[in-house]
Amino acid sequence: MTLAFSKVAIIGAGAMGRGIAQIAAQAGSQVWLYDTQAEAIQKARDAVFQQWDKLHEKGRLTAEIVAGYKSRLLGARSLQDLADCELVVEAIVEKIEIKKSLFTDLEKVLPPTAVLVTNTSSLSVTAIAAALQRPAQFAGYHFFNPVPLMKVVEVIAGLKTDAAVCERLSEYARQMGHTPVQAQDTPGFIVNHAGRGYGTEALRIVSEGIADFATIDRILRDQVGFKLGPFELFDLTALDVSHHVIEAIYHQYYEEPRYRPNVITAQRLAGGLVGKKVGEGFYKYVDGTAQVPAEAPVPVVENIPPVWVSPRAARRMELLQLLKDLGAKIETGASPSPEALTIVAPLGFDITTVAVVERLDPARTVGIDMLIDDAATKRRVLATNPATRTDMRDAAHALFARDGKAVSVIRDSGGFITQRVVATIVNIASDICQQRICTPQDLETAVTLGLAYPLGPLAMGNRYGPTNALEVLFNMQTVYGDPRYRPSPWLRRRGAIGLSLLHTED
């Protein structure tokens, strides 16, 4: 195999630079690691060597392979030592003036054919390249921590980047065992941009008093299949990182409402509750384990009232079959009797609005989220409205928990929790495609590998229905009057005519 780059330099000996150096050496390149702090270079090399030694001890690498890897990872004493490198990867502090100065110095040392790349996650590739004499040889090359395990890399073209450079970088990523995705130079590129919907919408839900952190995490894990709830994820990545990324993308997109930050993270960051690494974030941690409050027990209800289901309910036939399986006494009249528990299942609307529009008694009305097939979830989610009687809430909870499936009861919300988070994720992903930031296929790859979502966001939209996502967004926009929920043209057009969200007209 002919390597795309046989001589590579990594500048910055932190965790990111160390990880990139490791996979480059494993690919067969001669790698020079440089840092302004000489002791950091040796520390980084020692850490990588220890990882290789552990893999040898486990029988996953031979002694000969480990020796070869080690021989190819060298320390550089100055930028002059990098003079014959074909590729230089910068992985230093996220300050644009420092990066610009470094690359200007590198251009003086390296041959004209050398490719320079930045591992920036938040700065404009074009802006960094503006100070260079050869911007065509410059690109973004964004890896994710921990580099050896996170198998995706974003290849970002600046406005003047030669397309052949991006192709060469993509080939080198594959040679290092990673999957390249190509993106335009826009705030957040692909992964950090697509990830805006999950956490920011969850924060908005909390700020409306709809449910607490643990309940939201449980619902999104059990209903959709996310590995971590949004607040577990915030605690893992830490707010001293996450909050600044949220703010940066919001401001770089000139206060686009879809990316709006929330005061909750600002307050918690100011108070030092940044996450697991300090022992407290949205959860408290004891010996590294989150202290999660217990769920409320299922109410004991001796007599469940008869149940009437709105004719406008989403998945009405499935809902009726579910109630039959649970042993409910189902009313079939045109309207509920005065004793009936009234069940609605809206998409996007809140329970209050549905009760008013359908002329139902709000005191006896409870909603259930039926966006997702009940058989495909581990949890059911009910919502009350401000007038729902306690006995009706408890009866609904007890009824829907009869078969042992977990049930969460939340306060009134347009779109419950799953609907609004999923629709927001799908909408932002659709707009990434609408802006031609990347291909739909690269978007799906980047998000599944970079964010570990159970599905790519477009595939998620297809699974739960583009038309349903569109209805949720239109109705939420009506409930909240917020342009945050306006549907992307990509979603609106495909949802309206029944096309896959992965479909392109090109």
Side-chain angles (χ1 to χ4, degrees), residues 97-160:
E97 294 306 323
I98 295 176
K99 291 181 188 287
K100 282 184 175 181
S101 176
L102 171 64
F103 285 117
T104 300
D105 291 342
L106 284 167
E107 270 197 324
K108 299 172 185 176
V109 173
L110 296 164
T113 55
V115 173
L116 303 178
V117 298
T118 175
N119 184 63
T120 184
S121 62
S122 61
L123 300 176
S124 166
V125 172
T126 300
I128 297 171
L132 300 180
Q133 297 297 314
R134 297 184 291 276
Q137 294 293 107
F138 184 82
Y141 211 33
H142 182 214
F143 291 84
F144 296 82
N145 255 329
V147 176
L149 300 179
M150 299 292 286
K151 298 291 187 177
V152 64
V153 56
E154 295 174 322
V155 181
I156 304 107
L159 289 180
K160 295 184 178 180

Side-chain angles (χ1 to χ4, degrees), residues 372-393:
I372 302 174
D373 181 3
D374 182 75
T377 71
K378 298 178 181 178
R379 179 177 295 272
R380 298 181 183 118
V381 178
L382 307 178
T384 59
N385 67 76
T388 302
R389 292 194 331 235
T390 302
D391 62 320
M392 289 293 171
R393 179 197 66 200

Side-chain angles (χ1 to χ4, degrees), residues 97-354:
E97 294 306 323
I98 295 176
K99 291 181 188 287
K100 282 184 175 181
S101 176
L102 171 64
F103 285 117
T104 300
D105 291 342
L106 284 167
E107 270 197 324
K108 299 172 185 176
V109 173
L110 296 164
T113 55
V115 173
L116 303 178
V117 298
T118 175
N119 184 63
T120 184
S121 62
S122 61
L123 300 176
S124 166
V125 172
T126 300
I128 297 171
L132 300 180
Q133 297 297 314
R134 297 184 291 276
Q137 294 293 107
F138 184 82
Y141 211 33
H142 182 214
F143 291 84
F144 296 82
N145 255 329
V147 176
L149 300 179
M150 299 292 286
K151 298 291 187 177
V152 64
V153 56
E154 295 174 322
V155 181
I156 304 107
L159 289 180
K160 295 184 178 180
T161 304
D162 188 330
V165 167
C166 290
E167 289 300 327
R168 193 176 174 192
L169 289 168
S170 295
E171 177 57 26
Y172 189 50
R174 286 186 282 268
Q175 291 172 343
M176 290 188 288
H178 278 48
T179 300
V181 291
Q182 296 204 21
Q184 297 300 314
D185 183 20
T186 51
F189 310 130
I190 304 174
V191 174
N192 282 332
H193 187 167
R196 290 312 89 217
Y198 191 48
T200 57
E201 191 62 25
L203 287 164
R204 187 179 173 98
I205 291 166
V206 169
S207 69
E208 292 173 18
I210 292 162
D212 59 26
F213 308 131
T215 299
I216 294 169
D217 281 350
R218 289 186 185 108
I219 289 170
L220 291 169
R221 286 197 314 265
D222 291 350
Q223 282 209 317
V224 190
F226 290 103
K227 292 181 180 178
L228 294 175
F231 299 103
E232 293 173 306
L233 186 59
F234 275 131
D235 275 1
L236 185 63
T237 57
L239 288 185
D240 53 352
V241 175
S242 301
H243 178 75
H244 295 307
V245 171
I246 293 171
E247 285 196 329
I249 291 178
Y250 176 65
H251 292 306
Q252 287 177 65
Y253 269 106
Y254 295 100
E255 286 66 59
E256 163 58 55
R258 291 191 181 110
Y259 316 126
R260 189 183 297 126
N262 194 286
V263 69
I264 291 173
T265 53
Q267 288 175 332
R268 298 180 83 84
L269 175 60
L273 304 181
V274 301
K276 184 176 180 178
K277 68 181 182 181
V278 299
E280 188 170 4
F282 290 102
Y283 299 95
K284 289 186 178 181
Y285 293 83
V286 176
D287 297 327
T289 301
Q291 305 303 293
V292 182
E295 292 196 64
V298 177
V300 176
V301 179
E302 293 184 5
N303 297 305
I304 302 291
V307 179
W308 182 88
V309 177
S310 165
R312 302 183 187 182
R315 297 182 184 269
R316 186 171 188 269
M317 297 310 296
E318 294 174 33
L319 179 54
L320 288 168
Q321 184 60 52
L322 171 61
L323 288 165
K324 182 179 178 181
D325 293 342
L326 293 171
K329 180 181 178 181
I330 301 172
E331 293 189 356
T332 57
S335 60
S337 70
E339 297 79 28
L341 167 63
T342 304
I343 300 295
V344 297
L347 293 176
F349 280 127
D350 57 356
I351 312 308
T352 300
T353 299
V354 174

Side-chain angles (χ1 to χ4, degrees), residues 24-101:
Q26 290 171 184
S29 298
Q30 193 74 46
V31 181
W32 282 265
L33 185 60
Y34 175 74
D35 195 285
T36 53
Q37 298 181 9
E39 64 275 11
I41 300 172
Q42 190 57 49
K43 184 178 179 181
R45 291 179 72 223
D46 289 344
V48 175
F49 288 0
Q50 287 175 13
Q51 290 189 39
W52 287 331
D53 288 339
K54 288 179 181 178
L55 292 173
H56 170 56
E57 291 168 6
K58 294 178 180 179
R60 294 171 62 182
L61 294 176
T62 66
E64 291 76 15
I65 290 176
V66 170
Y69 288 171
K70 290 181 177 180
S71 70
R72 291 195 291 272
L73 181 52
L74 308 173
R77 293 167 297 179
S78 69
L79 294 184
Q80 295 295 329
D81 291 344
L82 315 180
D84 62 347
C85 286
E86 302 163 290
L87 171 68
V88 178
V89 182
E90 167 270 310
I92 62 172
V93 64
E94 287 284 84
K95 293 186 177 180
I96 193 167
E97 294 306 323
I98 295 176
K99 291 181 188 287
K100 282 184 175 181
S101 176

